[in-house]
Tab-separated table of all heavy atoms in Angstrom:
chain	number	residue	atom	x	y	z
A	58	MET	N	-14.147	-13.409	-0.001
A	58	MET	CA	-13.921	-14.546	0.870
A	58	MET	C	-13.190	-15.609	0.071
A	58	MET	O	-13.322	-15.673	-1.153
A	58	MET	CB	-15.247	-15.087	1.418
A	58	MET	CG	-15.944	-14.138	2.377
A	58	MET	SD	-17.604	-14.706	2.873
A	58	MET	CE	-17.226	-16.309	3.591
A	71	GLY	N	-12.838	-15.396	6.022
A	71	GLY	CA	-13.962	-14.475	5.971
A	71	GLY	C	-13.563	-13.121	5.425
A	71	GLY	O	-12.380	-12.857	5.163
A	72	PRO	N	-14.521	-12.225	5.248
A	72	PRO	CA	-14.218	-10.879	4.742
A	72	PRO	C	-13.471	-10.067	5.794
A	72	PRO	O	-13.843	-10.065	6.972
A	72	PRO	CB	-15.599	-10.293	4.462
A	72	PRO	CG	-16.508	-11.025	5.405
A	72	PRO	CD	-15.954	-12.409	5.524
A	94	GLY	N	-19.338	-11.175	-2.299
A	94	GLY	CA	-20.746	-11.449	-2.075
A	94	GLY	C	-21.232	-12.810	-2.511
A	94	GLY	O	-22.367	-13.178	-2.201
A	96	ALA	N	-19.583	-15.978	-1.980
A	96	ALA	CA	-19.200	-17.137	-1.166
A	96	ALA	C	-20.259	-17.563	-0.149
A	96	ALA	O	-20.430	-18.769	0.069
A	96	ALA	CB	-17.873	-16.861	-0.456
A	97	PRO	N	-20.985	-16.654	0.504
A	97	PRO	CA	-21.952	-17.111	1.508
A	97	PRO	C	-22.986	-18.088	0.970
A	97	PRO	O	-23.322	-19.071	1.639
A	97	PRO	CB	-22.595	-15.804	1.989
A	97	PRO	CG	-21.517	-14.788	1.822
A	97	PRO	CD	-20.842	-15.181	0.541
A	98	ALA	N	-23.490	-17.860	-0.230
A	98	ALA	CA	-24.461	-18.787	-0.805
A	98	ALA	C	-23.823	-20.141	-1.097
A	98	ALA	O	-24.448	-21.192	-0.913
A	98	ALA	CB	-25.053	-18.205	-2.083
A	102	VAL	N	-23.206	-20.021	4.800
A	102	VAL	CA	-23.035	-19.293	6.057
A	102	VAL	C	-23.000	-17.797	5.758
A	102	VAL	O	-22.356	-17.366	4.801
A	102	VAL	CB	-21.733	-19.733	6.769
A	102	VAL	CG1	-20.516	-19.497	5.893
A	102	VAL	CG2	-21.572	-19.033	8.111
A	103	PRO	N	-23.721	-16.967	6.526
A	103	PRO	CA	-23.676	-15.519	6.300
A	103	PRO	C	-22.262	-14.976	6.484
A	103	PRO	O	-21.543	-15.394	7.402
A	103	PRO	CB	-24.626	-14.958	7.368
A	103	PRO	CG	-25.511	-16.096	7.744
A	103	PRO	CD	-24.659	-17.326	7.610
A	104	ALA	N	-21.886	-14.064	5.640
A	104	ALA	CA	-20.523	-13.531	5.683
A	104	ALA	C	-20.216	-12.853	7.012
A	104	ALA	O	-19.070	-12.891	7.481
A	104	ALA	CB	-20.319	-12.541	4.530
A	105	ALA	N	-21.213	-12.228	7.633
A	105	ALA	CA	-20.971	-11.515	8.888
A	105	ALA	C	-20.467	-12.445	9.981
A	105	ALA	O	-19.742	-12.015	10.887
A	105	ALA	CB	-22.236	-10.801	9.348
A	106	GLU	N	-20.820	-13.728	9.925
A	106	GLU	CA	-20.369	-14.677	10.948
A	106	GLU	C	-18.877	-14.989	10.816
A	106	GLU	O	-18.265	-15.513	11.756
A	106	GLU	CB	-21.175	-15.972	10.859
A	106	GLU	CG	-22.654	-15.796	11.209
A	106	GLU	CD	-23.408	-17.108	11.227
A	106	GLU	OE1	-22.745	-18.176	11.165
A	106	GLU	OE2	-24.650	-17.072	11.300
A	107	LEU	N	-18.298	-14.669	9.662
A	107	LEU	CA	-16.886	-14.981	9.420
A	107	LEU	C	-16.018	-13.740	9.303
A	107	LEU	O	-14.837	-13.846	8.965
A	107	LEU	CB	-16.752	-15.820	8.144
A	107	LEU	CG	-17.513	-17.145	8.133
A	107	LEU	CD1	-17.348	-17.834	6.789
A	107	LEU	CD2	-17.028	-18.051	9.249
A	108	ARG	N	-16.582	-12.590	9.586
A	108	ARG	CA	-15.835	-11.332	9.434
A	108	ARG	C	-14.544	-11.355	10.258
A	108	ARG	O	-14.540	-11.664	11.445
A	108	ARG	CB	-16.716	-10.159	9.858
A	108	ARG	CG	-16.061	-8.792	9.665
A	108	ARG	CD	-17.035	-7.665	9.944
A	108	ARG	NE	-17.647	-7.768	11.252
A	108	ARG	CZ	-18.957	-7.899	11.460
A	108	ARG	NH1	-19.800	-7.944	10.428
A	108	ARG	NH2	-19.430	-7.968	12.679
A	109	ASP	N	-13.410	-11.067	9.577
A	109	ASP	CA	-12.082	-11.003	10.207
A	109	ASP	C	-11.681	-12.324	10.850
A	109	ASP	O	-10.949	-12.338	11.843
A	109	ASP	CB	-12.026	-9.874	11.243
A	109	ASP	CG	-12.161	-8.498	10.625
A	109	ASP	OD1	-11.566	-8.279	9.552
A	109	ASP	OD2	-12.866	-7.646	11.196
A	110	ARG	N	-12.132	-13.451	10.274
A	110	ARG	CA	-11.821	-14.759	10.849
A	110	ARG	C	-11.287	-15.709	9.783
A	110	ARG	O	-11.554	-15.547	8.594
A	110	ARG	CB	-13.065	-15.395	11.489
A	110	ARG	CG	-13.683	-14.598	12.611
A	110	ARG	CD	-14.968	-15.254	13.087
A	110	ARG	NE	-14.732	-16.574	13.668
A	110	ARG	CZ	-15.678	-17.497	13.830
A	110	ARG	NH1	-16.929	-17.254	13.450
A	110	ARG	NH2	-15.383	-18.673	14.372
A	189	SER	N	-26.146	-6.451	2.579
A	189	SER	CA	-24.689	-6.324	2.599
A	189	SER	C	-24.081	-7.120	3.744
A	189	SER	O	-23.050	-7.787	3.567
A	189	SER	CB	-24.286	-4.848	2.697
A	189	SER	OG	-24.680	-4.132	1.543
A	190	LEU	N	-24.700	-7.082	4.912
A	190	LEU	CA	-24.172	-7.851	6.038
A	190	LEU	C	-24.112	-9.336	5.710
A	190	LEU	O	-23.120	-10.015	5.991
A	190	LEU	CB	-25.031	-7.633	7.287
A	190	LEU	CG	-24.879	-6.314	8.025
A	190	LEU	CD1	-25.855	-6.260	9.194
A	190	LEU	CD2	-23.448	-6.133	8.533
A	191	ALA	N	-25.182	-9.853	5.110
A	191	ALA	CA	-25.228	-11.276	4.795
A	191	ALA	C	-24.252	-11.647	3.679
A	191	ALA	O	-23.596	-12.691	3.730
A	191	ALA	CB	-26.643	-11.670	4.400
A	192	ALA	N	-24.147	-10.786	2.672
A	192	ALA	CA	-23.347	-11.121	1.493
A	192	ALA	C	-21.873	-10.764	1.638
A	192	ALA	O	-20.999	-11.511	1.177
A	192	ALA	CB	-23.910	-10.416	0.259
A	193	PHE	N	-21.590	-9.626	2.288
A	193	PHE	CA	-20.213	-9.123	2.337
A	193	PHE	C	-19.609	-9.159	3.739
A	193	PHE	O	-18.404	-8.986	3.889
A	193	PHE	CB	-20.160	-7.693	1.805
A	193	PHE	CG	-20.865	-7.509	0.495
A	193	PHE	CD1	-21.994	-6.714	0.392
A	193	PHE	CD2	-20.400	-8.147	-0.647
A	193	PHE	CE1	-22.657	-6.552	-0.808
A	193	PHE	CE2	-21.055	-7.988	-1.863
A	193	PHE	CZ	-22.186	-7.188	-1.943
A	194	GLY	N	-20.446	-9.311	4.763
A	194	GLY	CA	-19.931	-9.373	6.121
A	194	GLY	C	-19.929	-8.059	6.855
A	194	GLY	O	-19.646	-8.002	8.050
A	195	TYR	N	-20.259	-6.981	6.149
A	195	TYR	CA	-20.315	-5.654	6.761
A	195	TYR	C	-21.223	-4.778	5.907
A	195	TYR	O	-21.689	-5.194	4.842
A	195	TYR	CB	-18.923	-5.033	6.894
A	195	TYR	CG	-17.934	-5.394	5.801
A	195	TYR	CD1	-18.174	-5.046	4.473
A	195	TYR	CD2	-16.762	-6.072	6.099
A	195	TYR	CE1	-17.279	-5.363	3.477
A	195	TYR	CE2	-15.856	-6.399	5.103
A	195	TYR	CZ	-16.110	-6.041	3.802
A	195	TYR	OH	-15.219	-6.358	2.804
Side-chain angles (χ1 to χ4, degrees):
M58 292 173 58
V102 59
E106 294 185 11
L107 301 177
R108 183 173 54 241
D109 294 319
R110 300 175 64 199
S189 295
L190 285 177
F193 311 115
Y195 33 62

